[in-house]
Amino acid sequence: TIETIEDVYIAGTVDPCYVIRIKESGMVVKVPRANAAKSGIRPLLSTRKVKEMFRTLESECANRVTGGNWTERCKDLERRINGSTSIELAEVVRDLLTWKIKSGLSFEESMLLETASTYLSHELAAVKGISPDAAYEEIVNHISKSAESKEVA
């Protein structure tokens, strides 16, 4: 959570910095405003974006590519997790959870799923004022609802 913006003396200049407190560890991080986008800081989801995220979670999963270079596939997933929008993050979580259910994940994919679902559930928790565990359950329920509706059809 961004607590405040304060001026910090960095390399001979004064730069405004976001002061961010990480709830889980209590750690405080200061990020120069000019570097916010590069650092992966983005505004919390609006109500409209939360609805869009849930639609994304309920939408059809991307086909799993099994050929080619697996390290490149994992790097692509990692790029989408760390430098993307919340909607792209939801796509990664949806795809990895669905693949896990259908055919299992590699160790690397499992680690990426854990990272992506943690990021997404913490963001949803902050927006909705619920615990990250409750947010994760909502995410899983939306993906499950999609899978169940496709089995019925």
Side-chain angles (χ1 to χ4, degrees), residues 44-107:
L44 287 176
L45 292 167
S46 64
T47 304
R48 187 177 63 78
K49 285 288 186 185
V50 169
K51 289 177 184 175
E52 184 181 344
M53 183 196 71
F54 285 142
R55 281 194 303 274
T56 299
L57 291 171
E58 293 171 6
S59 67
E60 193 165 330
C61 167
N63 289 328
R64 187 175 193 179
V65 178
T66 55
N69 187 339
W70 66 270
T71 56
E72 287 302 316
R73 286 195 309 274
C74 285
K75 283 181 184 176
D76 178 56
L77 287 170
E78 192 170 6
R79 277 191 293 271
R80 291 173 61 201
I81 291 167
N82 292 324
S84 65
T85 65
S86 299
I87 303 306
E88 286 179 291
L89 186 57
E91 290 171 355
V92 171
V93 171
R94 175 203 62 208
D95 293 349
L96 287 171
L97 271 174
T98 304
W99 298 342
K100 179 180 180 181
I101 292 164
K102 287 183 178 178
S103 60
L105 297 176
S106 69
F107 176 77

Side-chain angles (χ1 to χ4, degrees), residues 126-143:
V127 169
K128 295 188 87 177
I130 59 178
S131 74
D133 290 338
Y136 179 76
E137 288 302 316
E138 269 195 63
I139 291 165
V140 170
N141 288 340
H142 279 276
I143 294 170

